[in-house]
Amino acid sequence: MPPDWCSNQRSERRIALTGRRVFPSIPVRRRLSLFVEAFERYRRFWRKIFNEVEGMACSRRTVQFRLFVWTILPAVAFGAVFPDVTVAQAQKIRIAYSSRSNTVMPLYIASSKGFFREEGLEVELIQVSPRLGAMAVMNGDVSFTTSFTSTFRAILQGVPLKLVLVALKKGVYFLVTRPEIKDVQDLKGKKLGIATIRGTDSLVAEELLRSKGFNPALLQQLVIGETPLRAQALVAGVVQVVSLSPPHDLLLKNMGYNVLAGPPEVGLPASGLFTSNRLLKENPQAVNRTLRAVLKANRFMSENRQETIAVMLKWLPQTQEVAIRSYDVELKALAKDGQMTDTEMESLIDRLGEKKRPLDEVRDFNPVRQAIKELETKQ
């Protein structure tokens, strides 16, 4: 018998469909099976109801209301029990970065301001050695890496990755020495602390030294690691000179260390996004959504100075003065469209590669161009 739709006598009867309360000890898959069975019975029940509605004596409005309530309740209950079935899950993305510094500020902004979430992404930022970043992407351990020079070189050597976005076209680096080093010529025979052999900071240090008339070959290069570690090595006297990006240069200057040169006139890109050819082919939407989030961060940074500085202060221990200066210095190098010209790319290949490779094997800016077009359409 169908329920008496014209009577309120059964209004006190309620069904509380809250998976764990109704089926406290039944596994999730079994609970889902039970609900599927219930909905099949529910479908047959409604077929019978519709056949009998025509003969009801109560008002049409009352029937419509009761039908509405009994239709909506099961749908809401099903969503409460199995939210992972009814709500699309955010896609998990891992992005590797090499150093905890302001050079990857767009990622911090995209994460803290919810731009990744807006694109349906759950992003985890993972610190990885520059030389391991490319391998982590190729193996699928992470989706993207920001380490520029080491990854770019790996591509030139045949690793199946692509540069899909440029964050900083020209890295902002400063040559910082211990207090007793007053002149660049005092560095003869001393030690230069670097992140990796022939990494961005190493190449920029050599450029800065040459600009001061000093032959970098007169220095011994010592691999230390990421930016904070190089700064610590300088303070401890393990090395006498380092090449650092903001905010570490100003932090050291405030402690009495000397800034001999910087930033370089030519420089090298400090960060970007590299991903695998496989991800570009198999999941272009994940790449597209990631790029849209980072582009949103770029625009936010250029339009919201104070809020950006506030995020910088939360992310990295630094004073307000250091954060303000870092913002003003690094924002000038920010590639707001995430791209480099073919001429700039050719020059970069000449500087970093032993032999040339076709540009289409090195970079793919089509996804970022598409992301820009989509953002402009939404405005």
Side-chain angles (χ1 to χ4, degrees):
M1 285 290 292
D4 185 355
W5 290 96
C6 301
S7 171
N8 290 323
Q9 292 179 358
R10 300 187 183 183
S11 61
E12 70 278 3
R13 299 179 62 182
R14 298 290 184 267
I15 298 177
L17 298 177
T18 57
R20 292 187 179 86
R21 295 171 66 181
V22 177
F23 309 118
S25 60
I26 300 178
V28 171
R29 288 186 179 179
R30 178 56 183 150
R31 292 208 301 265
L32 182 57
S33 176
L34 288 172
F35 269 88
V36 170
E37 293 172 9
F39 271 127
E40 179 60 27
R41 291 195 300 272
Y42 184 73
R43 185 180 64 81
R44 293 196 298 268
F45 168 80
W46 273 110
R47 185 180 298 165
K48 187 175 181 180
I49 287 295
F50 286 132
N51 291 335
E52 299 187 22
V53 165
E54 293 296 330
M56 290 187 178
C58 57
S59 71
R60 189 180 188 85
R61 180 171 297 179
T62 300
V63 172
Q64 289 175 338
F65 174 75
R66 301 291 174 99
L67 289 174
F68 171 79
V69 170
W70 278 81
T71 303
I72 292 299
L73 281 178
V76 173
F78 189 80
V81 179
F82 303 107
D84 53 333
V85 176
T86 56
V87 180
Q89 290 287 308
Q91 182 170 1
K92 293 184 179 180
I93 294 291
R94 286 181 170 181
I95 302 178
Y97 67 95
S98 60
S99 180
R100 195 175 176 84
S101 70
N102 291 330
T103 57
V104 285
M105 192 162 43
L107 297 183
Y108 313 153
I109 295 292
S111 181
S112 63
K113 293 300 177 182
F115 298 140
F116 286 130
R117 274 198 311 276
E118 289 177 4
E119 296 296 336
L121 301 173
E122 182 183 330
V123 173
E124 182 181 3
L125 302 178
I126 302 175
Q127 189 168 357
V128 175
S129 167
R131 285 188 289 182
L132 296 179
M135 295 304 297
V137 174
M138 192 175 70
N139 294 336
D141 297 321
V142 299
S143 302
F144 301 89
T145 182
T146 67
S147 301
F148 203 98
T149 301
S150 57
T151 308
F152 197 88
R153 260 209 203 92
I155 293 175
L156 295 180
Q157 293 169 1
V159 175
L161 307 180
K162 289 282 195 315
L163 171 65
V164 293
L165 179 138
V166 180
L168 296 174
K169 278 189 179 183
K170 189 183 78 169
V172 180
Y173 286 88
F174 295 85
L175 201 64
V176 185
T177 68
R178 287 190 54 79
E180 62 269 20
I181 305 295
K182 304 297 183 183
D183 185 82
V184 69
Q185 298 304 322
D186 297 335
L187 289 173
K188 289 180 181 178
K190 300 297 192 296
K191 295 176 181 177
L192 166 67
I194 61 174
T196 59
I197 299 294
R198 301 295 291 166
T200 303
D201 67 295
S202 171
L203 296 173
V204 170
E206 292 176 2
E207 179 184 329
L208 290 170
L209 288 167
R210 290 192 191 96
S211 71
K212 292 291 184 179
F214 185 85
N215 182 0
L218 299 176
L219 277 170
Q220 176 188 349
Q221 295 195 14
L222 185 63
V223 175
I224 301 295
E226 62 164 326
T227 307
L229 293 179
R230 299 201 303 280
Q232 292 172 20
L234 187 69
V235 173
V238 176
V239 297
Q240 288 72 47
V241 58
V242 290
S243 176
L244 299 168
S245 57
H248 299 86
D249 61 301
L250 188 55
L251 290 170
L252 288 170
K253 183 179 180 181
N254 291 342
M255 294 169 61
Y257 292 80
N258 297 322
V259 178
L260 286 187
E265 288 299 319
V266 180
L268 289 167
S271 68
L273 283 180
F274 295 84
T275 193
S276 64
N277 294 348
R278 183 177 58 208
L279 188 65
L280 281 167
K281 181 180 179 180
E282 297 178 358
N283 199 347
Q285 281 303 312
V287 176
N288 184 267
R289 286 185 285 164
T290 302
L291 295 178
R292 279 204 306 262
V294 175
L295 289 170
K296 288 179 186 178
N298 285 353
R299 294 180 181 185
F300 180 91
M301 288 168 57
S302 64
E303 297 168 3
N304 299 273
R305 185 172 182 268
Q306 291 304 319
E307 286 188 65
T308 301
I309 291 171
V311 173
M312 294 167 65
L313 290 170
K314 289 180 181 178
W315 175 257
L316 196 66
Q318 56 190 306
T319 65
Q320 181 92 5
E321 175 197 8
V322 170
I324 290 172
R325 178 190 177 258
S326 296
Y327 175 91
D328 292 338
V329 169
E330 290 184 283
L331 188 61
K332 295 176 183 177
L334 188 68
K336 294 182 178 62
D337 64 353
Q339 300 169 62
M340 293 176 70
T341 66
D342 287 353
T343 301
E344 290 171 330
M345 290 296 302
E346 292 282 5
S347 174
L348 193 58
I349 291 173
D350 289 339
R351 294 181 70 187
L352 298 180
E354 296 179 359
K355 55 183 179 180
K356 283 203 167 190
R357 292 186 78 88
L359 287 180
D360 288 341
E361 293 182 10
V362 177
R363 56 95 177 98
D364 184 356
F365 291 144
N366 289 322
V368 76
R369 289 172 187 144
Q370 179 64 27
I372 292 171
K373 188 182 299 183
E374 291 168 354
L375 289 175
E376 289 174 348
T377 302
K378 290 180 180 180
Q379 286 183 342

